[in-house]
Amino acid sequence: MIIYKINIISFAGIKNKVIEFDEKINIIYGENEKGKSSIENFIRIFLYGLNSKRTKDIKENDRLRFMPLDEEKIRGELYISYENRKYIIKRTFGKTKKEDSSEIIDAETGEEVKTIPKEEPGRYFLNVNSATFNKTLFIRQLGVSITKDKEEEIIDKAANLLD
């Protein structure tokens, strides 16, 4: 699976942002508090959905953490290619699960694809569940300093990607 574009309509502090990616390795960089981690989490959430923890702690609840302040919904599109086909994952997350919607569109025909599970499309495209994705493919923000453990984690994950 290759992510070739994201369209963030509203997510956390980002609005109406389109980012196109190269087929090889992409690095998102910039000053602190400019949305790098939000972009990373947008991709994770559009592949696997919001976490299901029922808590009012904003750090533990994706719905509270990433809901835009001036919008009532998280909205966007993730454009991917997989096995020589292009797809668009369109998702909307409201204040409650009942308000959520998800669809997978064949980018060439414009038709909805019913054979791909729309709640967790990452499971289909990457062949791993969300827990495995978070532990192996998803490199979280490193923070202020890089420790040896984080360096080893990055090297291991990069080696796995190359395999």
Side-chain angles (χ1 to χ4, degrees):
M1 180 193 86
I2 295 172
I3 299 170
Y4 63 91
K5 181 167 87 171
I6 60 174
N7 177 17
I8 302 173
I9 298 168
S10 57
F11 185 84
I14 303 173
K15 289 186 81 158
N16 302 317
K17 179 81 172 167
V18 175
I19 302 170
E20 295 195 33
F21 296 106
D22 185 84
E23 274 194 28
K24 300 199 183 202
I25 293 178
N26 295 271
I27 297 173
I28 297 172
Y29 64 94
E31 296 177 34
N32 290 340
E33 300 301 317
K34 295 297 182 186
K36 299 178 301 293
S37 295
S38 293
I39 293 167
E40 173 184 51
N41 281 294
F42 174 88
I43 293 169
R44 174 182 60 83
I45 288 168
F46 274 63
L47 288 173
Y48 288 99
L50 296 170
N51 70 24
S52 58
K53 292 182 182 180
R54 289 188 151 190
T55 176
K56 293 190 178 192
D57 181 358
I58 199 163
K59 291 181 182 177
E60 297 285 322
N61 185 317
D62 285 343
R63 196 175 297 275
L64 293 174
R65 186 174 171 205
F66 298 114
M67 189 64 66
L69 295 175
D70 58 346
E71 296 268 337
E72 295 204 9
K73 294 188 180 206
I74 293 169
R75 296 181 300 141
E77 302 167 334
L78 187 65
Y79 294 72
I80 65 167
S81 63
Y82 177 75
E83 294 184 351
N84 297 317
R85 302 243 8 144
K86 291 188 175 186
Y87 300 93
I88 305 167
I89 300 169
K90 292 184 173 190
R91 297 191 86 162
T92 300
F93 298 95
K95 294 191 182 219
T96 66
K97 190 171 177 87
K98 290 178 186 176
E99 299 174 51
D100 295 353
S101 67
S102 180
E103 62 181 338
I104 315 286
I105 305 293
D106 183 309
E108 293 168 21
T109 66
E111 295 179 10
E112 185 173 2
V113 179
K114 304 276 190 187
T115 57
I116 298 172
K118 58 186 180 180
E119 297 306 315
E120 275 193 320
R123 185 183 289 259
Y124 175 85
F125 292 117
L126 296 170
N127 199 28
V128 296
N129 63 23
S130 62
T132 303
F133 175 80
N134 285 324
K135 290 178 184 174
T136 59
L137 299 174
F138 186 69
I139 302 173
R140 294 196 178 275
Q141 182 175 343
L142 297 178
V144 177
S145 63
I146 298 174
T147 65
K148 187 170 185 189
D149 291 336
K150 287 292 183 182
E151 289 173 342
E152 289 172 353
E153 178 182 331
I154 290 170
I155 290 167
D156 289 345
K157 287 183 180 184
N160 287 339
L161 285 174
L162 292 174
D163 285 344

